[in-house]
Amino acid sequence: KDGAQLIDQINIARRLGADGFILFHYDNLELADNRMPLLRAGITEQDAVLPHHAPQARIEVRAAEGEENVFVVGSKLSLSARLDAQSGVRGKVEAQMRRTDGTVVAKLGQMKSGPKKEFSFTPTEEGRYRLALVGEHEWLGRRELFERQGPVIEVMSREAYEELQARKRPPEFAAGAGLKVGIWIEGYGGPPILQALQEVPGLQVKPVYLLSAEMLAPCEVFVLPQPKSPGVLNKAADALRQFVQRGGGLYLTHDAVGARDMTALFPAAVSGHEVVNARAWQFAPKSPIKAELPAGKTFQHTFYDRIPLRVADASVVVATTHDGQPLVAALTVGRGRVVANGMALGLTDGNRDCPPSEPERKLLIACVKWLGGK
């Protein structure tokens, strides 16, 4: 929206290791006439090294401990690099270890095109690093500077690394210590929903970072806030259906009820309708779930829109829109239970996290307890 914000975004892209950035609406006169010259005078004053001119290279990273280019501070990294022998490289190429913002941390040595060269580096600080190969090659009859960068290497503390590994394992619950509730923390509104439920006595509430049958297995109730990508829900659809069929309780919010590009998990019983920009809702007078809410009173949900539901049986309706359309439904599927909530719980305008309103919180708690047979 303004020049300062644009510069901040470019700096963020660089810190994260992006090889470049794209500015949209180049035909916008304000961008072309004002902002582009300012960028050239400051943050992009150095000439770019065009990546599609650079010779082909293969860069690999290994360590005794680590995976997927994620390593612990103090681990010795073994790196290998190979440049295409037919690349037109002239002279020797320097291998540099850099932070993703471009800062050179160490010069690891030199290499030639053709044979693979081995390097090593031991990071002493957390951060993101990349191995860069810098040299000159011949391009269309002229000598030109080039650089090739390897994958982003994430270096973290021992504690952070172990926490990352724990996220890949199923949640652990204590036996007999309360209803076992897992929450898909990566969905819209996931963190506020987690916090709201962790404050409720009688519930064991754990975050879940991966959607799979293995992650669902320890849970008695699973809360699935709308994923940020339809593919997440669509890929996990079978595992979620089986979780319910076997006796689990599943709570769905917003598009996850089966709207837009999200799969309707139980289309014969409930699915999403068109998106409506409105906030008013009411607790149904004949709700199958008992909550500490007066029936018929109008409340306001925190997000600006919601997904009205299509339901096969009107008796499952827990809450409605201001004009009486089903908005929250509770149904039995196989041996399990499902609550479909067309509201975007834990979310406010701009897709920003926020605590559920008090009526939303009360409804959430009642629904989760019902899903667990309480």
Side-chain angles (χ1 to χ4, degrees):
K1 294 180 179 180
D2 57 47
Q5 185 181 51
L6 177 58
I7 291 171
D8 285 344
Q9 291 172 341
I10 293 172
N11 280 324
I12 291 170
R14 288 177 173 176
R15 286 198 302 272
L16 293 176
D19 291 320
F21 60 90
I22 297 173
L23 299 181
F24 293 94
H25 302 301
Y26 186 71
D27 58 346
N28 180 291
L29 294 181
E30 201 281 331
L31 175 63
D33 294 345
N34 298 326
R35 297 188 192 175
M36 296 287 284
L38 289 174
L39 293 179
R40 180 58 171 167
I43 194 169
T44 62
E45 63 179 343
Q46 292 183 319
D47 291 341
V49 178
L50 301 179
H52 49 281
H53 291 183
Q56 293 298 311
R58 181 178 180 83
I59 299 174
E60 297 178 337
V61 186
R62 308 178 303 282
E65 181 179 28
E67 57 180 66
E68 298 177 355
N69 297 321
V70 179
F71 306 101
V72 179
V73 169
S75 297
K76 181 180 179 180
L77 308 184
S78 300
L79 306 106
S80 65
R82 185 195 301 272
L83 280 167
D84 182 4
Q86 308 301 318
S87 60
V89 172
R90 296 292 179 263
K92 292 186 177 181
V93 175
E94 185 173 73
Q96 302 176 352
M97 184 58 70
R98 301 174 176 173
R99 291 189 178 273
T100 49
D101 65 0
T103 304
V104 177
V105 177
K107 295 182 179 181
L108 304 183
Q110 295 183 328
M111 64 178 295
K112 295 181 179 181
S113 58
K116 182 168 68 172
K117 184 69 179 289
E118 301 286 341
F119 303 99
S120 65
F121 174 69
T122 303
T124 58
E125 295 181 355
E126 299 175 50
R128 290 185 172 92
Y129 300 82
R130 298 182 82 172
L131 177 65
L133 304 178
V134 182
E136 289 186 341
H137 72 139
E138 188 171 317
W139 176 259
L140 299 179
R142 65 176 183 271
R143 295 185 72 132
E144 189 175 80
L145 182 69
F146 78 84
E147 62 178 49
R148 273 291 184 195
Q149 296 193 93
V152 174
I153 301 168
E154 181 82 20
V155 177
M156 56 182 62
S157 67
R158 167 68 57 189
E159 294 75 18
Y161 182 79
E162 291 178 352
E163 180 182 347
L164 179 64
Q165 299 310 306
R167 292 183 177 190
K168 300 176 183 180
R169 297 190 292 268
E172 297 181 359
F173 299 99
L179 188 63
K180 303 170 184 176
V181 182
I183 295 180
W184 170 244
I185 197 65
E186 305 289 358
Y188 284 116
I193 295 173
L194 174 71
Q195 183 174 353
L197 290 178
Q198 284 182 331
E199 296 171 354
V200 180
L203 302 183
Q204 293 187 77
V205 185
K206 304 286 185 179
V208 174
Y209 296 87
L210 300 173
L211 269 185
S212 67
E214 181 184 14
M215 296 293 174
L216 294 169
C219 305
E220 295 173 309
V221 174
F222 191 75
V223 179
L224 181 64
Q226 177 192 327
K228 297 177 182 179
S229 167
V232 172
L233 174 59
N234 300 344
K235 184 178 179 180
D238 288 343
L240 291 164
R241 292 189 185 105
Q242 292 171 13
F243 172 73
V244 174
Q245 293 285 353
R246 293 170 181 167
L250 179 62
Y251 189 100
L252 306 167
T253 76
H254 210 233
D255 286 12
V257 302
R260 288 183 272 211
D261 295 327
M262 299 277 179
T263 297
L265 295 177
F266 308 99
V270 63
S271 62
H273 206 269
E274 75 280 357
V275 181
V276 175
N277 291 346
R279 298 179 189 263
W281 64 280
Q282 298 179 341
F283 188 61
K286 296 182 179 180
S287 167
I289 293 177
K290 305 307 176 185
E292 298 177 4
L293 295 170
K297 182 177 179 179
T298 299
F299 305 105
Q300 300 288 319
H301 53 69
T302 58
F303 201 57
Y304 70 91
D305 74 13
R306 72 287 195 87
I307 314 292
L309 306 176
R310 293 187 181 95
V311 296
D313 183 354
S315 68
V316 303
V317 176
V318 176
T320 69
T321 64
H322 63 286
D323 56 357
Q325 296 183 75
L327 185 58
V328 181
L331 49 144
T332 300
V333 178
R335 295 168 54 194
R337 291 177 169 183
V338 176
V339 169
N341 184 346
M343 294 183 273
L345 199 62
L347 207 63
T348 189
D349 300 350
N351 290 340
R352 292 178 290 114
D353 285 351
C354 75
S357 67
E358 186 60 16
E360 289 174 313
R361 188 188 71 85
K362 288 181 177 180
L363 182 60
L364 168 67
I365 294 170
C367 289
V368 167
K369 290 182 177 180
W370 179 84
L371 287 168
K374 304 298 183 181

